[in-house]
Amino acid sequence: MSSLYSMKIEQLSGIGSKRAELFHKLGVYSVGELLNYYPRDYEDWSDITEIKDVKDSSAVCIRAVVGSAFKTGYTKSGKFIARVAVYDDSGGAELVFFNNRYIVNMLKYGETYLFFGKASHTLDGVNMVSPVFQPDKSFTAVQPVYNLTAGLNNKFIINTMKKALLLLPETVNDPLPDELRQKFKLCDLKYAINNIHFPESIAALESARKRLVVEELLVLNLGLRSLKNRKRSTNRNLITSDYSKQFESLLPFELTNAQRRVIEECVGDMKNPDLTLNRLVQGDVGSGKTAVAASICYTTIKNGKQCAFMAPTEILAEQHYNSLKELLEPVGIKTALLTGSLKASEKDNIRQKLESGEIDLVIGTHALITDKTLFSDLGLVVTDEQHRFGVAQRAKLLSKGNSPHLLVMSATPIPRTLGLIIFGDLDISIIDELPPGRQEIETLIIDSSKRVRALGFVRDEVKKGRQAYIVCPLIEESESDLVSAQEYAAELMLNYFNDIPIGILHGKMKSAEKESVMRDFADNNIKILVSTTVIEVGIDVPNATIIMIENAERFGLSQLHQLRGRVGRGDEKSYCILVSDSRTQNAYERLKTMKSTRDGFKIADADFKLRGPGDFFGSRQHGLPKLSISSLADTRNLDLSQKIADYVIKDSNNLTDDRYRALKGEITRLFKSTGDETLN
Ligand code: ADP
Ligand code: MG
């Protein structure tokens, strides 16, 4: 099979440079890639309808004999037209073909064919326009339907595919070794490729599909694991004493049991001489991840090591810095903030102190990972709101120490199986409990006829001294009726809130501008913040009690959940108003889910079912390779591929065994598209 990837598509008979170019448009350059160009759908020719049972305007397959000579002529607009009568035991139908002079020689009088197409009832009886057909003697029950490009029709792709399939060697080198396939009941590669294109039956198609999907997910899974796998076998930053109890006594509140459990799990890893902490902490918005991270930092520092805490934005870094400094400086821990907007001399000063070991804990943004930042003895790296950081950035920060421990915090709840795939070999801890006494957030769904009333409600809250977010999906003038932040803010300032300080925030602003608006809001100089979703991550303004979201149907549920989590952080009752005029069932159901639960994991699951994984991860953002047949929404196969991955790793000592050479080759090939060279 692998040699077919080096065989150019032009080498197939009937493919010249012109046709080859059309195939290139489909992303197909080699014969191997052609074989991986799977059908988008299938026509089922096995389900034959009798002519008497044909319903009007339905796609059907009939088996009928050609029972007349062709009548030919021209339409008024000059199109060549050919008609022929066909019969089965139940009745007759007329077939009509346009602009096809060859048809009169292709269908032979007295022979039986299968005709597939859309049928309709006319005054003259059943009629089918330009059906596709195959001779009854040699028909294939299930016909593939490919995604096409102008100039390349389905029939041509089918014929080319048949030629390519003939080139498959007698025994194909299967990335899944025999005993693995037997163990997990998967068919072999040659059978799968033949049947995904030209299934012998529906059952054969299903087994082919399953095998190819599972293989692709397995390859993805193993690839991600090796991508993220660090040498973990020796703990180079062994922690000898646990200071979590001492840390808790510094806090103004008691930790929740969930927080304590997660801290224990982390410290357990750090104290194990054969492990390195390498953990993702997932916790819903407001579950108190920062306190968990702070506790781990405290223990690390008390054991004589430094910590680096990386946040995705300056404002978040600043928030963390302020709260950690307040907590830890009084007990003698030296903290510093390192962000891009500091003066060069200030940055140099902090970097010097990091290198000399004078600073114990540094909190910052990307400025932390530049080459200039060096540490004296970095023992722990914490990254907050992980989904904004690429794997590469994390690796860069880790390289600044001698295999430091890693703690990744994410507020994006991900269905468990998906998490396992995306986060590869990170262990996962979940904070599944909110601190007591959290304020209720009342969620309301309204249509735009109630907007003015809702704005009046916002005004009332502001009058009481609170603050509000108003979120809209777009920033520029919109062609549709989508409300854009700029336009909308202008209207609000003029008509509704001309006596209230309003700020605007959107993704096209420079980050310094954004930071300054956010800061004004955090400092309560701005009362109403009109923004796109850029506020989504992590920001903590406890005085904000109301969030109004325009065109709410446009957002993913997880996104809505994140947005809603911006309120209900203080002592006051909070409100989330979802504005939507969408009448579709799906939109309504999604918004109802928001009203019925505040549990991020439930919401993530619902979102996943309704929209697929696109919401969690733009594939670009995560550098995931493009999948050709599987989808991350296919949780059952995800589970199976996960199981097989565990088995393979154990069975072959990380794929070093020769039996898995072909599988390794597939991993390299899949990840080539992401440009990741670290895989081998
Ligand atoms: P998130 O998990 O969303 O990052 P934070 O760490 O920002 O949540 O915590 C949200 C708020 O809850 C903070 O003001 C924090 O001080 C407070 N908090 C954290 N843990 C507890 C607890 N066990 N009891 C009471 N309040 C807590
Ligand atoms: Mg947080």
Side-chain angles (χ1 to χ4, degrees):
M1 180 81 190
S2 58
S3 63
L4 294 182
Y5 285 105
S6 45
M7 184 173 179
K8 288 211 174 76
I9 185 104
E10 289 95 316
Q11 290 175 257
L12 292 171
S13 67
I15 308 281
S17 61
K18 258 210 178 116
R19 286 244 166 75
E21 259 171 49
L22 296 176
F23 274 104
H24 295 174
K25 277 196 194 159
L26 301 174
V28 171
Y29 293 82
S30 66
V31 174
E33 283 164 329
L34 179 65
L35 292 174
N36 274 340
Y37 191 69
Y38 302 122
R40 127 182 103 71
D41 202 357
Y42 300 86
E43 289 166 353
D44 184 0
W45 294 63
S46 66
D47 185 15
I48 290 167
T49 307
E50 296 210 305
I51 292 175
K52 75 169 166 41
D53 296 331
V54 167
K55 293 204 179 63
D56 195 29
S57 315
S58 59
V60 289
C61 179
I62 62 173
R63 176 193 275 124
V65 60
V66 176
S68 76
F70 271 93
K71 278 186 266 174
T72 60
Y74 289 89
T75 65
K76 275 190 207 128
S77 57
K79 275 195 218 165
F80 179 80
I81 177 169
R83 299 165 187 276
V84 70
V86 298
Y87 301 92
D88 68 9
D89 290 344
S90 76
E94 185 178 57
L95 310 182
V96 186
F97 297 89
F98 292 101
N99 279 344
N100 184 352
R101 288 173 183 278
Y102 304 106
I103 192 71
V104 294
N105 300 321
M106 288 162 83
L107 288 178
K108 302 220 159 47
Y109 179 79
E111 304 245 330
T112 304
Y113 299 85
L114 288 123
F115 299 97
F116 191 102
K118 196 168 157 188
S120 45
H121 286 280
T122 67
L123 286 176
D124 301 329
V126 175
N127 168 307
M128 274 172 111
V129 176
S130 305
V132 284
F133 56 87
Q134 355 176 19
D136 182 42
K137 284 177 286 190
S138 59
F139 88 97
T140 327
V142 187
Q143 285 268 312
V145 180
Y146 295 96
N147 277 326
L148 306 175
T149 182
L152 215 48
N153 67 24
N154 200 48
K155 191 139 196 190
F156 190 80
I157 296 184
I158 286 181
N159 287 334
T160 312
M161 195 65 77
K162 284 182 174 161
K163 288 176 200 160
L165 285 169
L166 290 176
L167 294 176
L168 282 174
E170 192 58 41
T171 46
V172 173
N173 187 7
D174 196 327
L176 306 182
D178 289 352
E179 81 276 2
L180 189 76
R181 287 199 318 270
Q182 270 157 25
K183 188 169 167 53
F184 293 98
K185 301 197 177 58
L186 298 168
C187 67
D188 72 59
L189 182 59
K190 188 168 179 180
Y191 179 90
I193 292 181
N194 273 310
N195 278 282
I196 198 75
H197 292 293
F198 303 105
E200 289 162 12
S201 62
I202 296 289
L205 171 60
E206 273 166 14
S207 107
R209 211 188 130 68
K210 178 174 173 185
R211 138 85 210 217
L212 294 170
V213 167
V214 168
E215 178 186 322
E216 190 173 39
L217 292 174
L218 173 69
V219 167
L220 175 66
N221 194 323
L222 290 170
L224 287 171
R225 287 196 203 201
S226 68
L227 191 67
K228 292 167 182 172
N229 218 357
R230 316 187 279 130
K231 285 238 175 314
R232 299 181 61 193
S233 48
T234 346
N235 187 337
R236 296 188 193 280
N237 293 279
L238 191 68
I239 295 306
T240 45
S241 326
D242 181 356
Y243 287 86
S244 348
K245 286 257 151 53
Q246 204 178 87
F247 173 79
E248 194 171 345
S249 69
L250 303 175
L251 290 171
F253 46 76
E254 279 205 2
L255 289 175
T256 62
N257 286 330
Q259 284 171 315
R260 286 196 190 120
R261 191 195 67 239
V262 171
I263 290 168
E264 210 178 292
E265 284 165 357
C266 294
V267 175
D269 292 351
M270 297 199 294
K271 283 173 77 175
N272 187 330
D274 302 323
L275 266 182
T276 301
L277 170 68
N278 203 33
R279 206 170 266 279
L280 171 74
V281 171
Q282 270 192 43
D284 216 340
V285 279
S287 60
K289 292 181 290 290
T290 318
V292 168
S295 172
I296 308 302
C297 288
Y298 186 78
T299 289
T300 306
I301 293 163
K302 283 286 182 182
N303 280 270
K305 310 253 168 200
Q306 291 171 297
C307 299
F309 193 129
M310 189 154 79
T313 63
E314 294 212 351
I315 187 103
L316 270 179
E318 250 175 58
Q319 280 197 342
H320 285 320
Y321 170 69
N322 288 332
S323 53
L324 291 175
K325 182 174 136 178
E326 195 183 337
L327 197 65
L328 301 176
E329 293 250 303
V331 291
I333 290 175
K334 286 271 174 322
T335 54
L337 177 70
L338 183 59
T339 59
S341 62
L342 292 183
K343 281 198 218 113
S345 59
E346 292 172 309
K347 281 189 246 186
D348 285 345
N349 181 25
I350 293 171
R351 287 190 172 120
Q352 255 166 31
K353 288 180 176 165
L354 281 172
E355 202 172 346
S356 69
E358 244 176 284
I359 292 173
D360 304 306
L361 170 62
V362 64
I363 296 137
T365 52
H366 290 81
L368 284 178
I369 47 178
T370 61
D371 291 332
K372 283 196 204 147
T373 314
L374 298 169
F375 291 82
S376 140
D377 187 7
L378 181 65
L380 169 71
V381 169
V382 178
T383 71
D384 191 15
E385 309 297 351
Q386 123 81 21
H387 53 297
R388 297 277 155 130
F389 287 114
V391 175
Q393 290 169 316
R394 220 162 70 197
K396 180 117 195 235
L397 193 49
L398 289 171
S399 74
K400 295 187 176 296
N402 183 5
S403 295
H405 299 292
L406 171 69
L407 187 62
V408 174
M409 296 192 296
S410 172
T412 312
I414 303 160
R416 189 165 176 80
T417 8
L418 189 60
L420 287 171
I421 287 263
I422 302 294
F423 295 108
D425 80 332
L426 287 186
D427 300 313
I428 299 183
S429 288
I430 296 178
I431 311 180
D432 50 6
E433 188 184 344
L434 290 181
R438 273 293 140 85
Q439 285 308 306
E440 191 193 336
I441 303 176
E442 191 173 335
T443 300
L444 307 152
I445 305 171
I446 64 169
D447 62 30
S448 53
S449 70
K450 302 219 173 66
R451 178 182 290 126
V452 173
R453 264 176 71 188
L455 292 173
F457 188 57
V458 169
R459 168 179 283 280
D460 291 344
E461 283 290 297
V462 171
K463 251 200 223 145
K464 284 193 233 159
R466 321 267 183 267
Q467 287 164 279
Y469 298 97
I470 298 181
V471 182
C472 16
L474 289 181
I475 58 149
E476 272 146 29
E477 215 168 305
S478 43
E479 321 98 64
S480 63
D481 57 352
L482 279 182
V483 179
S484 80
Q486 250 156 16
E487 232 177 272
Y488 191 43
E491 196 199 319
L492 290 175
M493 283 191 227
L494 273 175
N495 298 331
Y496 296 98
F497 302 126
N498 50 17
D499 53 340
I500 295 173
I502 291 185
I504 307 180
L505 199 64
H506 60 73
K508 291 216 175 141
M509 288 162 68
K510 296 215 177 70
S511 50
E513 287 176 285
K514 280 193 252 181
E515 300 277 346
S516 117
V517 173
M518 259 334 294
R519 201 159 293 126
D520 279 342
F521 188 68
D523 294 345
N524 202 358
N525 297 326
I526 288 173
K527 304 291 177 188
I528 299 176
L529 187 62
V530 180
S531 92
T532 55
T533 53
V534 287
I535 57 157
E536 169 189 348
V537 165
I539 203 74
D540 190 25
V541 181
N543 191 45
T545 54
I546 185 161
I547 184 163
M548 179 164 156
I549 304 172
E550 295 281 352
N551 299 104
E553 77 283 352
R554 288 268 159 161
F555 295 93
L557 288 187
S558 296
Q559 226 178 347
L560 288 176
H561 179 66
Q562 285 294 316
L563 288 169
R564 181 170 59 183
R566 297 311 110 217
V567 299
R569 302 174 83 85
D571 302 330
E572 302 296 333
K573 177 167 175 185
S574 296
Y575 303 88
C576 169
I577 303 175
L578 305 173
V579 187
S580 173
D581 287 329
S582 172
R583 299 265 178 273
T584 70
Q585 185 64 21
N586 185 288
Y588 181 68
E589 251 171 54
R590 294 187 327 113
L591 297 182
K592 241 177 43 189
T593 309
M594 291 303 296
K595 209 173 149 68
S596 65
T597 180
R598 213 180 141 182
D599 178 334
F601 285 92
K602 272 196 198 142
I603 289 174
D605 268 331
D607 209 10
F608 198 55
K609 285 198 189 100
L610 290 162
R611 296 196 9 156
D615 239 22
F616 295 97
F617 315 104
S619 68
R620 177 100 29 84
Q621 189 180 349
H622 282 267
L624 288 184
K626 200 166 159 283
L627 299 171
S628 58
I629 190 166
S630 37
S631 144
L632 294 177
D634 189 351
T635 41
R636 196 170 323 147
N637 286 328
L638 269 177
D639 270 337
L640 180 58
S641 70
Q642 180 71 19
K643 234 190 254 162
I644 301 178
D646 290 340
Y647 174 84
V648 167
I649 283 172
K650 236 168 128 190
D651 181 49
S652 66
N653 189 19
N654 262 329
L655 274 81
T656 42
D657 196 302
D658 212 39
R659 282 173 299 147
Y660 292 106
R661 192 150 34 153
L663 186 57
K664 260 183 126 165
E666 290 300 306
I667 296 173
T668 315
R669 216 165 47 73
L670 184 68
F671 280 82
K672 232 190 223 152
S673 58
T674 66
D676 213 306
E677 304 300 335
T678 52
L679 274 170
N680 45 44

